[in-house]
Amino acid sequence: MPTSPRPALGRAQWILRLRLPTQPLVRHVVLALGGAAILYLITSSLSPYNDFEVGEIALYVIALAGLSLLTGVNGQISLGHGAFMAVGAYAAALLMTHTHLNFLVELLASIGAAGLLGLVIGIPATRLKGPYLAGMTLLLALALPPIADKWSTTFGGDQGLTTTVPTAPGTINPEEWLAWIQIIGALIVLVLLANLLRSRFGRSFRAVRDDEIAASLSGIHVARTKVIAFVISAACAGLAGAFLGLSTGVVNTGEFPLTLSIQLLAAMVLGGTGTLMGMWWGAVLLVYLPQWSTSLSGDFNLGSGASAYLATIIFGVVLIVVMIAAPTGIQGGLRWGWGRLSALGPRPRFGPPSVPERPGEALHLSRTAEK
Amino acid sequence: MGREYAMRKGEAMRHSKHTSMGRYGRALLTGALGVALGATTLAACSSSPKATTTTTANVPGVTATSISIGATVPLTGPAAPGYDEIAPAMDAVFSWVNAHGGVDGRKINYTYLDDGYNPANTATLTRKLVLQDNVFADIGSLGTPTQAAVQGFLNSQKVPQLFIESGCNCWSDPRYPYSSGWQPPYTVEGKILGSYIKANFAGKKVGYLYQGDEFGNDFVKGLDMEIPSASVVSRQSYDAATLAGPLSNQIAALKAAGAQVVAMATIPAATALAMLPAAAIGYFPQYVISNVGADTPTVGPLLSSFTQKGGGSAAQAKAATGLLNGVITDAYFTPEADVSNPWVQVEKKLLQDYAPSLYAKSGLDGNTQYGIALAYTFVQALQAAGKNLTRAGLLAAIAAHGKDFVTPGFVPLSYSSSVHFGFQGSEVIKLSSTAAPAVTPTGSWIGSTPVTPVEVTDIGSAPVTKYTGPTSTPPTNLVSTS
């Protein structure tokens, strides 16, 4: 334990003294509860429509977090996450239509179904890299929806399958209740993923991303690790898909166009590839950017032809600006900014990397970094 | 050695974990705070949460001087071309109404939002219209998958979802009393065209080519009710989402089966993508095409442009439009080519006066005509509902008086408390190069002549019968005197 003398902090720097528990699970749960408290304050003060949007943000956070794990942490790319969302959505909707199972069981089924497809896709994916993997997952996003159209009696065709949200308790309005189901889902997923990333699995994911041969030499089963990452990522998308089905009210193939998969990837990059918290930024942009661009085009009195494509243009511009200003995404930029900010004040003991006290430890650190 | 390494590795891990913990923790905290800040700002930006607009008798979207209505339509994406004209054409009618003092002193504010034909967008935007903008009703929204997505929500909120721009059989459903269609259901069209095939092409081999979704399936259901199954030799479908090239396989199968009559439930692009490869292999069956797929101002130019893209010369491209000559289809209101018709005259004048830029772009075609007629149906519904406007009152007024509304349709609207379909009849027509052509800004297109009297039926077992009632004429005041 490094112990540096703690300088007297000014009033404004109290926030720098905040400590979180060191045990990962406890820490992540504490953070999630804090987040839940803040989100509760937000949702209870918003209109039902804004609550609905917060719920949408939460569901996209789930899909983006899974994608962030796959791409940012494990180094595999996917242009087919919309398809995994579709599988999760259809699995939940089929159960809702034909059975009267517990709501949680239906959600678990959507996670399981998407995870299973993730396994089927993940195994051949271990042999593919970069553009080939992108191509294969892209094909998935293209090929899956027509299957649902083909068997329209099972999958409901154009009208789709109706989803049902459990009745809201008490006087809570349905939008706020749905938002809470989605927020709780998102927070649980984030806690589990954050924990996973701090575990042996997380380290294996990163090791495989950085150098497969070195990882393999260290005793990591590379193929298995990649498949596990794919399954987890697909399972997250499955849950997000089930939640999207709940928001939309029905599940049909029109909800899962190719653009959804591409927008997910772009939002993930914007938020900060490989981060989990950054996915909140990505999801906020995914939900709000089209609306902002619509009101913007309204302000400038653009014709419907021009305004229609403004959202896409703005999304592109934001992507370019963020990539120039903060190559590690919004979350990366914020971390950097926060680092600069805290460097201005008296140095807290946990701020910059502290100098190890024992020389041997330092030596060892540098040795492991050499590999 | 190994053990030592493992221990050291463990130490290193703990160490790095410890040093990065603070940064990690604070980043998470910043994120959470940032989200909180961001969300509250957003809330502040969005228009007055929890605030309700001033209404008379507490009817959402209705004040003493205004009525707010909304819709979601495709303004971008694959469904946009052509269909993006409908909502602006509707708005022209509302501008005309507003210029004449509105309905019962209330001006109509029409907000139409672009859902890009994606049901997930429809779900969000419809909630925005209902929960945030407090619209009185959702009028003239387009699409089967898109409107099916919000049918449950709108009915649970008791918001009228009227005159949905789709011929799905699903809009007249007792579980969803607040929904209703407007155009003929595809099954009705299928029955009318099927009965024509049965009567006029008896003994000939019939093949189907249909879109593999609700549109195609409902249409085929109608065909099958009329055409004896023994004479149907081939059933081919295509997927709208992946429609990119000529439907050569389907055409080859139809030709191989010896189909002499091909009944098609296709969108305009698919009509062109079927006719061209058929002509290329010397296959010229009698085409019988749904109203949607035989819109000449849309299909004609597509036949030309696909021919040119396929390497054809300009002369070949021009000649390709000739494939439409002799095609059998159906129409449920006066074709725009019939310039002597009073409806066509007032519709043209209305567009010129109240949507000049739309008129310059599209002219009076099937889509703008559709929008004008649909909007005028809604205006009459408002008039019938009277001064004390409520959502339930509007529905009751349509059920009671819908049959008397004047429209350019050949048959009256069939609304009642149990039937939520609009037109349930049409006239079979033959496209003909010798008939008066349709004139659009992009050129003049093939005209048409009726081959049957106007016929009516329903989506169930009712037979196809001749309609003997009157057709309505436009009100004299539909066009301003400006």
Side-chain angles (χ1 to χ4, degrees):
Chain A
M1 270 278 176
T3 49
S4 54
R6 189 183 303 166
L9 294 170
R11 258 183 216 161
Q13 277 121 16
W14 64 270
I15 201 164
L16 299 177
R17 295 181 55 185
L18 285 178
R19 295 288 190 286
L20 286 161
T22 50
Q23 211 282 325
L25 181 62
V26 179
R27 185 172 64 240
H28 297 143
V29 168
V30 166
L31 275 167
L33 290 176
I38 294 165
L39 286 167
Y40 177 73
L41 290 177
I42 294 172
T43 50
S44 56
S45 65
L46 289 181
S47 70
Y49 173 62
N50 294 126
D51 286 343
F52 178 79
E53 289 175 320
V54 173
E56 282 196 315
I57 291 173
L59 81 87
Y60 284 121
V61 163
I62 300 173
L64 290 174
L67 193 57
S68 181
L69 176 141
L70 184 72
T71 306
V73 183
N74 192 231
Q76 301 190 79
I77 196 166
S78 169
L79 282 174
H81 259 49
F84 293 120
M85 287 181 72
V87 168
Y90 272 104
L94 280 171
L95 288 179
M96 284 172 188
T97 314
H98 298 294
T99 67
H100 297 283
L101 290 175
N102 185 290
F103 179 63
L104 287 177
V105 177
E106 292 164 346
L107 290 184
L108 287 174
S110 70
I111 296 171
L116 198 65
L117 181 69
L119 182 70
V120 172
I121 300 300
I123 291 171
T126 56
R127 293 172 176 271
L128 300 173
K129 276 200 170 69
Y132 304 103
L133 182 56
M136 178 191 166
T137 49
L138 184 74
L139 194 68
L140 183 71
L142 277 172
L144 215 62
I147 293 176
D149 283 333
K150 182 91 184 161
W151 285 280
S152 58
T153 41
T154 311
F155 296 109
D158 260 3
Q159 280 170 273
L161 300 167
T162 311
T163 58
T164 34
V165 183
T167 323
T171 55
I172 301 177
N173 74 59
E175 281 73 28
E176 190 172 350
W177 170 239
L178 175 61
W180 267 97
I181 292 174
Q182 293 164 330
I183 288 169
I184 290 169
L187 291 175
I188 291 173
V189 167
L190 286 180
V191 166
L192 293 177
L193 289 186
N195 242 40
L196 188 83
L197 293 185
R198 310 286 289 167
S199 73
R200 187 170 63 85
F201 283 107
R203 292 189 291 274
S204 307
F205 289 159
R206 282 184 281 268
V208 168
R209 172 198 64 193
D210 290 341
D211 191 330
E212 288 188 13
I213 294 166
S216 169
L217 285 172
S218 316
I220 296 172
H221 193 308
V222 173
R224 191 164 62 204
T225 307
K226 287 169 91 170
V227 172
I228 290 171
F230 221 101
V231 169
I232 293 169
S233 184
C236 290
L239 181 64
F243 281 162
L244 182 66
L246 291 179
S247 281
T248 310
V250 299
V251 174
N252 55 36
T253 51
E255 287 163 46
F256 307 97
L258 183 61
T259 45
L260 173 65
S261 299
I262 292 165
Q263 280 175 340
L264 284 175
L265 195 68
M268 189 270 293
V269 172
L270 277 173
T273 312
T275 66
L276 292 181
M277 283 309 294
M279 295 310 111
W280 287 99
W281 308 120
V284 164
L285 290 175
L286 212 52
V287 171
Y288 279 103
L289 214 54
Q291 295 189 23
W292 289 334
S293 66
T294 307
S295 64
L296 196 69
S297 66
D299 294 343
F300 288 104
N301 269 327
L302 291 178
S304 68
S307 69
Y309 295 96
L310 199 66
T312 320
I313 295 168
I314 291 182
F315 208 85
V317 170
V318 169
L319 191 63
I320 293 167
V321 169
V322 168
M323 285 302 101
I324 291 171
T328 46
I330 297 174
Q331 186 68 12
L334 286 173
R335 275 184 192 172
W336 178 83
W338 183 264
R340 295 300 297 250
L341 200 67
S342 42
L344 294 176
R347 173 176 292 192
R349 75 170 181 171
F350 52 79
S354 50
V355 182
E357 285 189 329
R358 278 176 294 168
E361 209 175 320
L363 190 67
H364 185 79
L365 268 178
S366 61
R367 216 182 265 159
T368 49
E370 267 165 25
K371 117 186 137 161
Chain B
M1 186 69 182
R3 191 183 149 80
E4 190 188 15
Y5 173 74
M7 192 195 73
R8 280 185 182 169
K9 189 176 153 200
E11 274 176 10
M13 288 293 181
R14 265 202 304 283
H15 183 85
S16 66
K17 187 169 72 183
H18 182 79
T19 49
S20 64
M21 183 273 289
R23 220 179 307 154
Y24 189 65
R26 273 178 298 143
L28 284 170
L29 192 70
T30 325
L33 286 174
V35 168
L37 258 175
T40 36
T41 322
L42 293 177
C45 291
S46 56
S47 69
S48 58
K50 298 247 151 99
T52 48
T53 42
T54 328
T55 58
T56 46
N58 250 348
V59 180
V62 179
T63 71
T65 56
S66 71
I67 303 165
S68 299
I69 55 171
T72 54
V73 294
L75 299 176
T76 57
Y83 294 154
D84 60 357
E85 299 163 9
I86 301 175
M90 286 175 66
D91 214 15
V93 174
F94 300 140
S95 302
W96 161 71
V97 169
N98 293 345
H100 290 75
V103 179
D104 291 320
R106 298 186 180 107
K107 300 209 164 160
I108 302 168
N109 299 323
Y110 188 44
T111 310
Y112 53 94
L113 304 172
D114 175 26
D115 65 7
Y117 211 62
N118 178 334
N121 294 346
T122 315
T124 309
L125 294 171
T126 304
R127 278 166 180 83
K128 178 174 154 56
L129 289 170
V130 172
L131 300 172
Q132 186 161 298
D133 301 347
N134 278 309
V135 296
F136 171 68
D138 187 313
I139 306 294
S141 290
L142 191 143
T144 304
T146 45
Q147 288 307 298
V150 291
Q151 195 173 16
F153 169 73
L154 288 170
N155 277 272
S156 72
Q157 298 280 328
K158 295 188 164 48
V159 177
Q161 179 191 24
L162 300 181
F163 314 142
I164 302 162
E165 294 167 4
S166 144
C168 182
N169 293 347
C170 45
W171 309 131
S172 188
D173 182 339
R175 289 177 300 161
Y176 300 114
Y178 284 80
S179 305
S180 99
W182 186 76
Q183 71 192 61
Y186 300 127
T187 302
V188 165
E189 258 195 85
K191 279 175 77 175
I192 289 173
L193 288 172
S195 116
Y196 180 84
I197 292 172
K198 186 175 65 177
N200 294 278
F201 303 114
K204 295 208 170 168
K205 291 178 178 173
V206 181
Y208 294 170
L209 176 63
Y210 61 98
Q211 187 159 305
D213 60 10
E214 232 77 26
F215 160 46
N217 294 333
D218 283 357
F219 186 85
V220 165
K221 197 195 280 176
L223 288 175
D224 281 339
M225 286 176 177
E226 298 294 329
I227 302 172
S229 59
S231 53
V232 182
V233 292
S234 179
R235 292 163 183 268
Q236 300 295 321
S237 69
Y238 68 92
D239 178 38
T242 52
L243 180 70
L247 298 168
S248 309
N249 293 344
Q250 287 88 338
I251 288 298
L254 287 165
K255 190 187 181 194
Q260 295 155 294
V261 177
V262 174
M264 308 209 292
T266 44
I267 55 172
T271 305
L273 290 170
M275 284 183 156
L276 291 172
I281 58 169
Y283 177 46
F284 298 98
Q286 171 65 54
Y287 293 106
V288 178
I289 309 177
S290 71
N291 175 283
V292 173
D295 181 34
T296 43
T298 317
V299 180
L302 284 174
L303 283 167
S304 297
S305 68
F306 289 159
T307 304
Q308 270 186 318
K309 275 183 198 158
S313 68
Q316 284 170 320
K318 197 162 188 297
T321 59
L323 289 172
L324 287 172
N325 193 18
V327 164
I328 303 280
T329 179
D330 71 325
Y332 51 98
F333 51 65
T334 313
E336 66 278 4
D338 187 357
V339 288
S340 63
N341 183 288
W343 275 104
V344 173
Q345 289 170 351
V346 294
E347 286 165 350
K348 192 168 276 182
K349 185 86 167 61
L350 184 109
L351 275 192
Q352 283 170 333
D353 289 352
Y354 291 96
S357 61
L358 177 67
Y359 185 74
K361 185 180 141 243
S362 335
L364 185 69
D365 61 9
N367 292 312
T368 44
Q369 264 193 311
Y370 183 110
I372 291 170
L374 194 150
Y376 191 57
T377 306
F378 176 65
V379 171
Q380 293 172 85
L382 283 181
Q383 287 171 330
K387 188 123 186 97
N388 294 324
L389 186 61
T390 62
R391 286 167 169 170
L394 180 72
L395 297 183
I398 294 170
H401 305 291
K403 289 187 174 74
D404 305 325
F405 293 167
V406 295
T407 69
F410 292 143
V411 296
L413 296 161
S414 52
Y415 297 118
S416 73
S417 55
S418 58
V419 176
H420 286 204
F421 291 125
F423 303 114
Q424 294 206 72
S426 62
E427 177 182 80
V428 180
I429 58 172
K430 186 175 217 167
L431 302 184
S432 153
S433 52
T434 54
V439 180
T440 71
T442 48
S444 66
W445 297 105
I446 195 163
S448 62
T449 47
V451 292
T452 66
V454 177
E455 291 169 317
V456 285
T457 184
D458 69 1
I459 64 164
S461 53
V464 178
T465 52
K466 189 175 159 188
Y467 171 70
T468 50
T471 48
S472 46
T473 45
T476 47
N477 64 343
L478 184 61
V479 185
S480 81
T481 49
S482 66

